[in-house]
Amino acid sequence: MSTVMAGIGLVKKYASATALAGVDVEVRERESLAIMGPSGSGKSTLLHTLAGIIRPDGGQVLLRGERIDHWGENRLSALRRGRFGFVFQSGQLLPELPAEENVALPLMLGGVVRKEAVVRARRWFAPLGLEGLEQRRPGQLSGGQAQRVAIARALAVEPDVVFADEPTGALDQATGEEVVKLLTSVTRQQGASLVMVTHDAEVAAHCDRIVHVRDGRITRYSQYTVTP
Ligand code: ADP
């Protein structure tokens, strides 16, 4: 399977901590990769470094073989907008916009005109079990529905890679399970790769591979047979 992204020898140091102490990691075509580990182990720093949000102090980040870690901020921000999708724990939807416009927003930021962006956004509602909720404001959605809207928003730009940071962290177990199943399956159908940070083994088990992080280092990989 070919590699979409790679981190090579990634180092990130803060005054009080070494968040990444030399991490090598690859993200393969169409796979879902979970980053697991205890709090403070460097999971979020690794995800944000791969996603071009945090600039590493050492090492390289490659996207389809091209080095991106030394790109300028404008170029990185265009890359994040056009080729990456993001799902965070919660609170990422704009409360004043209907769900469909929240999903359309990254498309509009990428230059698609509003009407066309909303048409394209609406296509994601059925696959994510959100039919009929297009006009709802985020405050009128349950936590699980809001996360599914966030997934639609991440996928609407048809990204190469979706980055998810504790996407089930604010949900109860059953809802989290439902959301992670949709996130992994719809991302795969779309042909994108998924990189997901979680501290929850049951959530990670939905991914194709799991990388275990501790003290800024990868300690091991594990692999699961994909359960649909
Ligand atoms: P995790 O996601 O596994 O909880 P993080 O990547 O958030 O871990 O953090 C790894 C380490 O780096 C921790 O010791 C954390 O305190 C530190 N750290 C992360 N971000 C910052 C920051 N912006 N400033 C200072 N220290 C940070």
Side-chain angles (χ1 to χ4, degrees):
M1 217 186 294
S2 64
T3 302
V4 176
M5 291 207 79
I8 302 168
L10 294 175
V11 173
K12 183 69 191 177
K13 290 180 177 164
Y14 292 107
S16 57
T18 298
L20 299 178
V23 169
D24 296 316
V25 66
E26 64 164 353
V27 182
R28 300 171 185 163
E29 197 84 54
R30 293 176 84 113
E31 80 164 344
S32 48
L33 178 71
I35 302 173
M36 261 197 83
S39 180
S41 57
K43 304 183 296 294
S44 292
T45 305
L46 178 56
L47 179 127
H48 287 101
T49 303
L50 290 173
I53 296 169
I54 290 176
R55 209 181 283 280
D57 299 318
Q60 302 184 359
V61 179
L62 306 178
L63 175 63
R64 298 198 186 280
E66 187 177 3
R67 200 172 161 187
I68 62 166
D69 55 273
H70 61 295
W71 281 12
E73 202 37 58
N74 289 346
R75 202 171 172 206
L76 275 176
S77 120
L79 173 80
R80 289 194 298 262
R81 223 170 35 227
R83 292 179 64 188
F84 294 161
F86 293 92
V87 182
F88 297 109
Q89 187 166 331
S90 60
Q92 58 208 309
L93 300 175
L94 295 180
E96 65 275 20
L97 291 184
E100 63 183 16
E101 289 189 33
N102 267 285
V103 176
L105 204 57
L107 290 167
M108 292 193 269
L109 289 171
V112 180
V113 295
R114 186 191 190 89
K115 210 171 156 186
E116 159 79 12
V118 171
V119 168
R120 279 168 61 180
R122 280 189 195 135
R123 291 188 197 136
W124 290 97
F125 279 69
L128 287 161
L130 292 166
E131 250 171 339
L133 303 179
E134 292 84 349
Q135 302 296 329
R136 295 257 187 109
R137 301 263 188 296
Q140 302 168 304
L141 297 170
S142 69
Q145 288 167 342
Q147 270 317 63
R148 283 183 274 145
V149 172
I151 293 169
R153 192 176 71 163
L155 287 166
V157 296
E158 300 179 17
D160 290 3
V161 185
V162 174
F163 293 97
D165 196 350
E166 297 279 6
T168 63
L171 305 174
D172 62 63
Q173 194 71 31
T175 311
E177 182 96 4
E178 194 183 299
V179 163
V180 75
K181 273 188 189 163
L182 274 168
L183 175 61
T184 49
S185 64
V186 180
T187 304
R188 190 176 293 120
Q189 279 161 24
Q190 158 67 30
S193 304
L194 172 69
V195 182
M196 178 174 71
V197 161
T198 182
H199 64 269
D200 184 333
E202 288 184 35
V203 169
H206 288 277
C207 291
D208 301 324
R209 289 195 305 146
I210 303 176
V211 32
H212 299 263
V213 180
R214 187 173 285 264
D215 297 331
R217 294 178 198 281
I218 290 178
T219 52
R220 67 189 170 95
Y221 280 92
S222 48
Q223 196 150 15
Y224 285 79
T225 315
V226 181
T227 42

